[in-house]
Amino acid sequence: MLVSAARMHLEGDRRDPAWWGTPHVELMGRMRRRMIVIAAFGLTPPGAALELSDAGDARVSLPLSSGLERYHGETQRLLESILVRNGCRLVRTDFLDKSLAPEEGVHFSTAHQVGSCRMADAPSAGVVNAHGEVFGCPGLYVSDGACIPSSLAVNTSLTILANAERIAAGILDRYRLQQGAAA
Ligand SMILES: Cc1cc2nc3c(=O)[nH]c(=O)nc-3n(C[C@H](O)[C@H](O)[C@H](O)COP(=O)(O)OP(=O)(O)OC[C@H]3O[C@@H](n4cnc5c(N)ncnc54)[C@H](O)[C@@H]3O)c2cc1C
């Protein structure tokens, strides 16, 4: 996945291009033996947007604020310093867009979108209350990743599952349903 989505070269390789041809073959040869791919999951402040096009397609975007750019820079500096001090050589990565051209500037990607119906204490701060019930719409519940308030900085699915089970148990309680009857 990484190889198809990025151009990579060993730091310090001055050949041009260093991401293609012989340098690339050499890098792949090394990679087969020993390479660590690090993905940093961040506790970034909620800043993404989810928009619907006129055709109804959903589009997620993450505007790069100066705070986010600083956070990215500091995370990269920290991770790289740990690796270099432990004797690693860095592989530089240019991520590619859909036309296979390198992305400009800082590049983020995520498969862990959350928070489009954020859980909150009050309607001014979110869409659902702590029971997963939509403010102002009694009986309408959100129990998927949408109601997780913010980045988890870890893989999402177990938290989403645990929270959904908690909300389901709350619904059973609220309507005085038995497990069997609900099933
Ligand atoms: C490539 C990738 C790798 C990932 N790896 C991990 C991992 O290793 N560990 C981890 O914890 N998480 C991982 N995640 C994240 C995790 O998969 C998601 O956070 C989680 O599945 C989200 O759960 P959800 O219930 O909110 O949404 P989803 O699992 O997306 O469920 C939404 C469901 O709604 C259905 N749906 C959509 N629209 C409609 C409609 N109009 N009518 C009816 N049904 C509809 C969809 O078909 C889908 O079944 C990964 C995600 C991706 C994309």
Side-chain angles (χ1 to χ4, degrees):
M1 192 171 149
L2 181 68
V3 172
S4 63
R7 293 178 181 175
M8 298 183 288
H9 69 271
L10 258 186
E11 186 167 75
D13 189 337
R14 303 263 170 260
R15 288 173 286 183
D16 187 20
W19 57 272
W20 185 248
T22 306
H24 187 65
V25 172
E26 288 172 8
L27 182 62
M28 290 300 106
R30 284 167 181 258
M31 185 167 164
R32 207 163 288 142
R33 285 183 292 123
R34 179 171 273 191
M35 180 159 168
I36 305 169
V37 178
I38 293 187
F41 284 41
L43 275 170
T44 51
L50 174 63
E51 288 159 319
L52 276 184
S53 73
D54 291 341
D57 299 324
R59 186 172 173 276
V60 179
S61 61
L62 179 64
L64 187 63
S65 65
S66 56
L68 194 52
E69 198 164 9
R70 246 193 335 274
Y71 180 90
H72 177 275
E74 179 57 19
T75 306
Q76 183 169 2
R77 189 199 62 72
L78 183 67
L79 290 177
E80 291 186 358
S81 81
I82 293 169
L83 293 174
V84 169
R85 281 181 286 141
N86 281 283
C88 295
R89 237 180 122 185
L90 301 175
V91 175
R92 291 289 166 204
T93 312
D94 291 324
F95 285 96
L96 306 177
D97 65 19
K98 287 193 178 123
S99 70
L100 300 181
E103 300 263 9
E104 295 288 334
V106 176
H107 172 66
F108 282 92
S109 76
T110 186
H112 299 108
Q113 293 97 334
V114 292
S116 50
C117 294
R118 183 172 300 142
M119 188 176 287
D121 292 332
S124 55
V127 175
V128 302
N129 64 21
H131 308 293
E133 191 172 26
V134 176
F135 291 116
C137 290
L140 176 61
Y141 291 84
V142 179
S143 65
D144 64 356
C147 69
I148 305 292
S150 185
S151 168
L152 296 167
V154 291
N155 283 314
T156 43
S157 56
L158 286 181
T159 305
I160 293 169
L161 178 65
N163 189 51
E165 291 194 347
R166 186 185 66 82
I167 290 173
I171 294 172
L172 292 181
D173 260 4
R174 178 171 181 176
Y175 298 104
R176 296 192 171 72
L177 297 169
Q178 301 295 317
Q179 294 273 0

